[in-house]
Amino acid sequence: MSFITTNYKENKHNNFEPLPTGTYELLINKVQEHATPSGAESMQIDFIVRNDLDNVPELSETNAKYHNRHVFMENWKRHATNQYDTKGFQYLLEAAQVPEGTSIDSIDDFMKVLTGKPMRVYVKKDVDDYQTERQNKKVYRNDIAPYSVEKSKFPQVNHQQKNNAVADATVEDPFADKSNSNKVNISNDDLPF
């Protein structure tokens, strides 16, 4: 008996070209900070094309053809202030339907409040000037402007899609006391290491 017999009928080959320009229903898969080797920092929003809307006629040329594909939005810290442009973040929070006046105390809280949220996003396919100059040929990328993000027309998300999208972001503490009735305080002096 052999270990494996080749059968390529089920293989699906991915297309890594940028998405065509259009309006997509997306989920925020992950929000994380990045830094370049030179020290420039950015907040990267990883969107994923929803796969639970393939049968919606108005999305036949977008979601139905490109579901599960990723597209990214970057917000760079300003050199002068070493802070993010939070005005751009306001569009994301509004699209995620975070109530007006909500205080978000940290970058981690910001990331958590957005992860897994559905949004309607205009994605533009554009020439990547930086890559084009380096490679002497046209290279394309996707751009998402903060003001091109709005509330989803389909706020109910298939739980399987949502669970896959947020699996990396929601790791539950297996030692957490969920009842909050038996809190144990341990100081560093009590630890053997």
Side-chain angles (χ1 to χ4, degrees):
M1 180 158 158
S2 71
F3 166 68
I4 189 170
T5 302
T6 57
N7 179 358
Y8 306 128
K9 293 178 198 128
E10 299 296 320
N11 287 2
K12 294 179 180 152
H13 297 279
N14 291 323
N15 174 1
F16 296 104
E17 291 292 316
L19 295 173
T21 296
T23 301
Y24 296 80
E25 287 284 339
L26 306 175
L27 278 179
I28 294 183
N29 183 52
K30 192 184 303 183
V31 182
Q32 59 189 0
E33 288 187 288
H34 285 280
T36 65
S38 65
E41 295 176 86
S42 72
M43 178 79 64
Q44 184 182 71
I45 316 314
D46 172 11
F47 290 95
I48 188 167
V49 179
R50 290 176 60 175
N51 66 12
D52 59 337
L53 303 173
D54 288 357
N55 296 325
V56 176
E58 70 181 271
L59 300 173
S60 64
E61 294 299 313
T62 55
N63 284 66
K65 287 186 176 181
Y66 300 100
H67 62 250
N68 297 332
R69 293 274 306 275
H70 292 260
V71 61
F72 300 90
M73 176 182 174
E74 298 268 358
N75 184 318
W76 293 91
K77 279 189 176 178
R78 304 299 178 247
H79 290 293
T81 63
N82 199 34
Q83 299 294 317
Y84 291 112
D85 173 17
T86 56
K87 289 179 184 177
F89 290 156
Q90 293 294 336
Y91 292 98
L92 291 166
L93 293 167
E94 181 181 22
Q97 300 183 57
V98 175
E100 180 80 22
T102 300
S103 176
I104 299 172
D105 298 326
S106 68
I107 290 175
D108 287 337
D109 291 343
F110 174 77
M111 292 179 196
K112 288 175 187 171
V113 94
L114 287 179
T115 301
K117 296 293 194 264
M119 296 182 185
R120 188 170 184 81
V121 180
Y122 178 75
V123 178
K124 184 177 179 185
K125 181 178 177 179
D126 209 354
V127 174
D128 184 341
D129 293 329
Y130 178 71
Q131 292 292 332
T132 297
E133 288 175 13
R134 288 181 47 203
Q135 297 180 8
N136 294 324
K137 67 176 184 172
K138 280 193 178 184
V139 177
Y140 294 91
R141 66 163 190 237
N142 285 129
D143 285 325
I144 298 174
Y147 51 82
S148 70
V149 178
E150 59 188 47
K151 182 174 97 172
S152 173
K153 287 187 176 181
F154 307 93
Q156 296 300 321
V157 179
N158 170 306
H159 290 291
Q160 182 64 32
Q161 168 94 37
K162 189 170 187 176
N163 289 342
N164 289 342
V166 299
D168 293 336
T170 56
V171 177
E172 190 172 322
D173 181 355
F175 304 107
D177 178 11
K178 298 191 181 30
S179 69
N180 289 331
S181 63
N182 297 321
K183 293 258 181 206
V184 176
N185 292 320
I186 299 175
S187 73
N188 285 340
D189 295 335
D190 295 330
L191 299 174
F193 45 88

